Structures are given as C-alpha cells and as structure tokens.
Amino acid sequence: MKLTGAEIIIECLKEQGVNVVFGYPGGAALNIYDALYKHQNEIKHYLTSHEQHASHAADGYSRASGKVGVVFTTSGPGATNIVTGIATAYMDSVPVVAITGQVPTNLLGKDSFQEVDITGITMPITKHNFIVKDVNTLADTIRRAFEIAQSGRPGPVLVDVCKDVTAQYAEYERKEPKKIKKKVLATQEEIEKAIELINSSQRPFICSGGGVISSEASEELIEFVEKINAPVATTLMGVGGFPSTHPNYTGLVGMHGTRASNYAVSHCDLLIAVGARFSDRVISKVDRFAPNAKIIHIDIDPAEIDKNVSTDIALVGDVKQILKILIENVQKKTSTEWIEMIYEWKRNYPLSYPQDGKLHPQYVVERISALTNNDAIITTEVGQNQIWAAQFYKYQRPRQFISSGGLGTMGYGFGAAIGAKIARPDKVVIDIAGDGSFRMNCGELATAVHYNIPVIVALLNNGVLGMVRQWQDLFYGKRFSQTTLDRPPDFVKLAEAYGALGIRVTSPDEVDSAILKALEAGRPTVIDFVIDKDEKALPIVPPGAPIDEIID
C-alpha cells in the first residue's frame, strides 16, 4: 500500500513495538505529528516542557524498561535542544532513536529558517545517524536505526527526515523486526586462558559495570561470584547489577569508592572487569591501578579493550554469554582467607555520616530506601545527590538506579524519572535531586502534573552547587566562586504553583512522615529537604591520586 513518509514513520514504530514517544512539535515535523494524531490510540505521545527533557525521558524510559526510547523534535533549535540528551545516552550506552524533522530537500544548505546540520552536529555522539531525502528509503532507514541502537554495545541513533519526504508517497510493506543476535567474539584460546587465570588466582576481584545490566546478565554475575567466592564492586553505571545487600558486595569503586572496594583493587591478584570501561573516575592514577593484579576485561565493545588500562586477557562479546561459559568451566573456590579480609575492611571502614541530630542527606536516602522496601526506581541528577543515592540506597536489581554517569548531565534526573515511571507504572519512582540541577528541569512539573505521573522529587537542598563547592573547599583553598545559590525560588511554592504537592523538611524527625505522605499522595510531589551547604560526598580520592589514597 502507498503511504506518506509521515505515515511510514508511524507504521515502522508500530512494527518495532513502540507505544510511547516523547517530544515537541514544530514546523518541519508537522506531517509526522499529523500522522501521529491519527494513531494516538496506538502510540501515546508525551509533550514535555523542553526538548532536552523529552530526550532524557526517552532515555529514562529505555533504562527502566530495556526497550528503545523514542524522541521526536522539529528542525533547528528543536533538534539542537536534544543534543545533550543524545550525548547522555551515548556515553551511557542507552538505546534511543531520535527522529527529527528537517527543512525540505530543496532548501538544504541554504541557511533556511530553522535549518541546522543535525547529522553533522551529532556524528560524534551517535552510534550512527541518517538524513532521509528519498521517501523510498525511509522505512528501511527507520528499521536500521532500531537495529543499530540495540545491537552490540547499545546507543542512540538519529534519523533526520526532510519535510517534503514526510509528505511524499511510497509503497509500504510491514516487516518483522530483525532479532538482535548476542555474539561471543572471544576465541576458545582466550577463554581457556581466562579460565586458567581465574582458577589459579588466590585473590580475585570483580568490577561490575553497566554492561552487566544492558546484557541482562545480573543472575549470571551472582552465580559466577558465588562460584569463585570473589568480592564485587560496581561502577556508578553498574549500580543495581549486583545486589547491594549481598555479603560479597563492597560498594562503589574509584573516586567515590569505599575503602573496601579500593583496597581490594590494590591488593587483588586478579581483577575481572565485567561490562565496565575503566573510566577515569574508576582508575584515577593509571600506573597505580591494580598494581599486583592480572586483568581480564569482558566487554561487548572491542574499542574499549586496552583503551584506558592494559589488560592481560580480553574476552570480547556479550557479557551474559561469556559469564555462562565461565560458570560452566571455572573451579569452585572454597578458600575464605581473601573474602574474610574483605569482610574485615567492610566492618572497619563502613560508609558513615555524623550522628549529631542534624538533617543529613545520607539519612534521607537511607530512609527513602527503608520506606520503599528497597524496591523503588531511583533516578538522580548529577553531583553530591548522585553519589549519596548510589551509596545509601540498597539496590536489589538491575534497572533500579538510573543516572547520567559518563556525561554527568545536570537536569537529567526529573525527565528520566518521568520516562521511567511511564515504563514501569507498577514501581515507585523517585528523583533524588540537588537544587542546582532541579532549577534546570523544574518546568517538567507541568508535564508530570498534566499527565498525572506520580513521580517524587527528593530535593537535597543545600543552597549551593554542592559537588563543585566541595572541590573548591578541598582543592581550591575554599575560594567559593559562583557556587552559592542564594536566590529564589521557594521550591514548595513552586511545586504548588504547578499543581504538585510541596513538602518542606528541616529536621530528621520530619523525614519519615514527609516520605510517607509523598508515597501516599499518588501525584507529583516535591520534598524540599533543607541540608547544610557544607555536606560532603565522601569518601573521595583526590584527582590524580591512587585510588587507595582516600579522604573520608
């Protein structure tokens, strides 16, 4: 049958099982939105207050569900406004398909109204991108975009569609989506060498990253850990991939890692990185990272091998499949000497904060965890709030912690929370936020209220740009340049102005009742937890120092 390009886009989304999109319309996307109007009972569109947060919502939807998130925008500023969201998804390997309107083909390259070269702009931050100038190639391009977004190491793909293409007709025939194949590229020889290293090690240590979550390998990781009786730390992106209540869990590793994690890296004789990319926030001083260890790196992306840390054995391929092979072939370890040393470090150096009767953010996160039975989906903004959320909530499963790890995007968490709640309406969703980040995205209260999306913003309000101030305090001689936010708004009144519930908390004895009130409200809520401006996210490794030189 013959359909317009806009209708072909909608039909291709339906082929891929898409029933939710986020976006913001405009002139170059009018035909797409007109076609969407005719299919509004099949595909629900969520209109955000800003395109950037539409892209964050698509990202959060993807992370919470494991599906591809989809965002629509128009050309020019509509497209450039999602660049930050695309970069966020790219850095954290999140499958998102962005479909942008573009000026008609006869106006390309003429500095036309709302024309930008969005494929050129996003080339470094997408797995691939396309500009469609021929309606006959449109359907296969959309299908290819979804395939690329999900295959191998996931990531964002952008499809830019000229406006005249969306109005032209072409033959359309429905096709079933291609199945994404999970591959193991590592050779038998490499696998055998890895098994030999694991069997001979006396002090193995596992660093678990976001690849464990994206490959759905959490159960295999637990089985592998228990077979070789190894301690496990996670990167920020790996939080939730291994249960934080498991006795072998040591917490975060790296700049904000626990002493148990960082000491374990420094004393292990074998480091196994599983779906982790050895970012600078994990390794810090490269020549002092895991100095006594052989290193096995398991990752889907061959480009990550030996990029930041030299490895002894690389096992390239799907983490889930590789872990299954290792589980079947490695020997069970029964010695307890190494794990007992880990337990002693955990006992001697627990995460802590002052017990002085004041309202501390760590206590707030602990109470959120307890009152949600450790079962909520937690999104974060970026900074101290992000670290406290990763440290003090007890995560039980993958896709429970959603945060901008690689790009560190302030303003990410609220849009992501909206997307996550739409993906998982059965779960409580809480954005643990800082006041600096919330100023950037608070307009999305209108979105949450309009669609009655009952997300909770737990605002850790210290009146400063907390993490930047912390660095100024520790490393810049207390020169607090432009980090004090001594200005409006009153966040409770702001929430109420949007039609949300606003609650203010200033003391520890108000915390539980405020959280319970928010959980029972069934509508968007902002809890303004007023904390001290000099709270610190600790431990911290000074920049450039070895990871076992820790300030806490």
Side-chain angles (χ1 to χ4, degrees):
M1 56 182 170
K2 283 204 168 186
L3 299 177
T4 66
E7 291 168 335
I8 287 171
I9 291 171
I10 301 303
E11 291 299 327
C12 286
L13 294 183
K14 288 161 60 179
E15 283 179 10
Q16 299 292 329
V18 174
N19 55 15
V20 169
V21 298
F22 304 89
Y24 208 96
L30 274 173
N31 292 328
I32 299 172
Y33 273 85
D34 191 53
L36 181 65
Y37 180 87
K38 300 168 187 174
H39 294 268
Q40 58 188 289
N41 293 329
E42 298 163 283
I43 298 177
K44 173 73 171 177
H45 180 279
Y46 289 88
L47 176 65
T48 57
S49 297
H50 192 286
E51 291 96 344
Q52 179 174 327
H53 304 127
S55 61
H56 292 330
D59 177 307
Y61 177 91
S62 176
R63 297 196 205 205
S65 66
K67 301 177 182 177
V68 178
V70 179
V71 59
F72 285 173
T73 72
T74 190
S75 63
T80 58
N81 278 347
I82 65 168
V83 168
T84 299
I86 292 171
T88 301
Y90 181 76
M91 291 289 283
D92 290 346
S93 305
V94 181
V96 171
V97 170
I99 299 176
T100 55
Q102 181 56 278
V103 300
T105 53
N106 66 320
L107 295 180
L108 285 172
K110 298 181 179 179
D111 293 331
S112 306
F113 177 67
Q114 291 193 331
E115 179 194 2
V116 295
D117 178 10
I118 194 62
T119 55
I121 290 170
T122 59
M123 187 176 293
I125 55 169
T126 51
K127 281 190 74 178
H128 197 73
N129 62 29
F130 304 86
I131 181 168
V132 182
K133 305 176 187 178
D134 181 354
V135 69
N136 295 297
T137 67
L138 179 57
D140 284 341
T141 301
I142 298 291
R143 292 167 184 141
R144 181 75 177 128
F146 275 84
E147 181 184 356
I148 292 171
Q150 298 173 86
S151 61
R153 179 178 179 170
V157 179
L158 180 136
V159 182
D160 195 34
V161 188
C162 292
K163 185 174 182 179
D164 53 327
V165 170
T166 63
Q168 294 164 359
Y169 283 84
E171 287 290 337
Y172 166 79
E173 181 181 349
R174 179 181 172 83
K175 294 183 179 180
E176 288 298 314
K178 288 185 178 180
K179 290 187 177 181
I180 306 300
K181 295 180 180 179
K182 304 292 187 179
K183 297 180 180 179
V184 174
L185 301 179
T187 66
Q188 184 63 33
E189 181 182 2
E190 289 168 336
I191 291 170
E192 288 174 358
K193 286 182 178 178
I195 292 167
E196 183 180 342
L197 267 186
I198 294 167
N199 288 341
S200 63
S201 70
Q202 300 298 310
R203 300 185 306 278
F205 183 70
I206 295 172
C207 176
S208 174
V212 170
I213 296 170
S214 60
S215 67
E216 307 288 352
S218 292
E219 291 184 7
E220 286 77 11
L221 178 62
I222 294 170
E223 188 176 352
F224 179 61
V225 165
E226 293 178 347
K227 188 164 186 181
I228 68 170
N229 200 22
V232 184
T234 62
T235 66
L236 190 69
M237 290 307 304
V239 170
F242 190 80
S244 60
T245 51
H246 194 287
N248 288 32
Y249 183 61
T250 61
L252 291 177
V253 64
M255 176 173 282
H256 291 285
T258 62
R259 283 188 179 268
S261 294
N262 289 4
Y263 284 178
V265 170
S266 301
H267 289 81
C268 68
D269 64 3
L270 176 64
L271 175 62
I272 307 170
V274 186
R277 61 185 180 86
F278 290 119
S279 80
D280 61 296
R281 290 300 172 104
V282 168
I283 62 176
S284 194
K285 189 175 178 63
V286 178
D287 60 0
R288 293 279 298 277
F289 182 77
N292 305 305
K294 298 286 187 180
I295 297 177
I296 297 173
H297 192 178
I298 305 171
D299 205 277
I300 190 70
D301 186 357
E304 290 297 339
I305 304 302
D306 295 328
K307 185 172 82 174
N308 297 325
V309 169
S310 296
T311 57
D312 294 279
I313 297 175
L315 301 181
V316 177
D318 179 63
V319 166
K320 188 183 186 80
Q321 304 304 318
I322 290 174
L323 284 178
K324 284 181 177 180
I325 294 169
L326 296 179
I327 290 165
E328 290 177 4
N329 292 280
V330 298
Q331 298 168 1
K332 184 173 178 63
K333 291 185 182 293
T334 56
S335 172
T336 61
E337 183 178 349
W338 170 236
I339 201 70
E340 288 296 338
M341 184 184 296
I342 298 295
Y343 293 160
E344 184 176 353
W345 284 333
K346 288 176 67 176
R347 287 190 298 269
N348 291 341
Y349 307 111
L351 290 172
S352 62
Y353 56 92
Q355 304 297 312
D356 55 7
K358 296 179 181 179
L359 180 59
H360 293 288
Q362 301 92 334
Y363 176 74
V364 171
V365 177
E366 284 183 338
R367 297 311 299 157
I368 290 172
S369 187
L371 294 172
T372 57
N373 298 314
N374 308 324
D375 191 50
I377 292 174
I378 302 297
T379 70
T380 80
E381 306 298 337
V382 167
Q384 292 175 320
N385 61 86
Q386 179 184 39
I387 302 304
W388 291 321
Q391 290 173 327
F392 288 93
Y393 196 99
K394 297 186 182 302
Y395 299 94
Q396 303 302 307
R397 64 179 191 280
R399 305 195 182 280
Q400 195 181 355
F401 177 75
I402 296 174
S403 187
S404 172
L407 194 65
T409 306
M410 290 182 70
Y412 168 80
F414 193 23
I418 288 172
K421 183 64 178 177
I422 291 166
R424 295 298 306 271
D426 57 318
K427 296 296 183 184
V428 172
V429 177
I430 301 175
D431 173 26
I432 295 180
D435 51 311
S437 287
F438 191 57
R439 291 170 188 273
M440 297 184 178
N441 61 27
C442 59
E444 295 310 323
L445 282 168
T447 308
V449 169
H450 175 75
Y451 293 107
N452 192 28
I453 305 168
V455 293
I456 298 168
V457 178
L459 186 62
L460 305 178
N461 182 2
N462 54 11
V464 294
L465 297 176
M467 187 62 86
V468 187
R469 180 184 174 88
Q470 175 173 322
W471 278 55
Q472 289 173 336
D473 188 358
L474 295 176
F475 311 125
Y476 287 83
K478 300 185 185 298
R479 294 182 294 276
F480 300 121
S481 177
Q482 301 302 315
T483 49
T484 301
L485 301 176
D486 52 350
R487 61 204 68 184
D490 178 320
F491 289 107
V492 171
K493 290 181 179 178
L494 180 71
E496 292 170 348
Y498 276 106
L501 176 62
I503 306 169
R504 180 169 288 111
V505 174
T506 59
S507 66
D509 58 3
E510 299 170 338
V511 170
D512 281 19
S513 60
I515 295 169
L516 290 170
K517 185 176 181 180
L519 292 170
E520 294 164 2
R523 64 190 180 108
T525 302
V526 176
I527 312 176
D528 183 14
F529 294 101
V530 181
I531 63 173
D532 187 83
K533 65 181 180 296
D534 284 314
E535 289 281 359
K536 298 289 192 296
L538 299 173
I540 184 172
V541 175
I547 65 170
D548 58 351
E549 294 184 9
I550 300 166
I551 299 172
D552 58 11

